[in-house]
């Protein structure tokens, strides 16, 4: 995967080094305007510092600054990823029927199905 995606810059591995030691790494691939974060790993000696979080924060800041990136997908969806999810808003579905006989008939049919439920 890394060879294939990496040939044209659609793969990357980021490393965080602390005190001359590798503390964390993250593996990503890009498809179109989306980077997919496949894995973050960290050395347990640095767990109190949160090196994976530091690396992820740096990535997100970089991606926000790049207008060609529309999404960073945390595909593994670990529990800690919830703090990086953006605010979401509820979505409403609205059906508007034309005032023709066909529109009125469709409205009556769908309304009847809802009442029957």
């Amino acid at each position: 995967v890394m060879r294939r995606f990496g040939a044209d810059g659609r793969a990357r591995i980021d490393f965080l080094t602390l005190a001359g030691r590798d503390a964390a790494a993250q593996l990503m691939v890009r498809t179109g305007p989306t980077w997919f974060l496949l894995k973050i790993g960290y050395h347990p000696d640095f767990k109190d510092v949160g090196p994976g979080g530091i690396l992820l924060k740096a990535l997100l800041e970089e991606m926000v600054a790049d207008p060609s990136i529309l999404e960073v997908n945390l595909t593994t969806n670990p529990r800690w990823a919830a703090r990086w999810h953006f605010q979401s808003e509820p979505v409403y579905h609205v059906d508007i029927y034309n005032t023709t006989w066909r529109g009125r008939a469709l409205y009556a049919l769908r309304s009847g199905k809802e009442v029957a439920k």
Side-chain angles (χ1 to χ4, degrees):
V1 170
M2 294 307 288
R3 245 185 263 132
R4 182 172 180 176
F5 280 80
D8 59 0
R10 295 180 302 133
R12 64 190 266 179
I13 301 174
D14 293 337
F15 291 94
L16 175 67
T17 304
L18 299 173
R21 295 177 56 203
D22 291 333
Q26 57 191 13
L27 171 68
M28 297 160 287
V29 294
R30 181 178 178 174
T31 301
T34 303
W35 276 101
F36 293 90
L37 180 60
L38 303 177
K39 183 68 178 166
I40 293 180
Y42 67 92
H43 195 287
D45 289 351
F46 297 99
K47 70 179 180 183
D48 293 340
V49 180
I54 293 169
L55 208 49
L56 181 58
K57 182 178 184 288
L59 170 72
L60 293 174
E61 288 171 347
E62 178 185 340
M63 296 299 123
V64 166
D66 184 346
S68 72
I69 305 300
L70 300 181
E71 178 183 10
V72 175
N73 188 316
L74 304 178
T75 56
T76 58
N77 199 25
R79 281 179 275 126
W80 54 261
R83 68 182 134 172
W84 300 104
H85 292 175
F86 299 102
Q87 179 180 351
S88 61
E89 296 293 329
V91 176
Y92 297 93
H93 179 88
V94 177
D95 291 317
I96 300 174
Y97 299 92
N98 202 342
T99 57
T100 64
W101 70 268
R102 289 174 64 186
R104 289 181 180 159
L106 184 58
Y107 172 75
L109 178 67
R110 289 197 175 153
S111 296
K113 286 173 87 174
E114 288 299 316
V115 170
K117 286 182 185 179

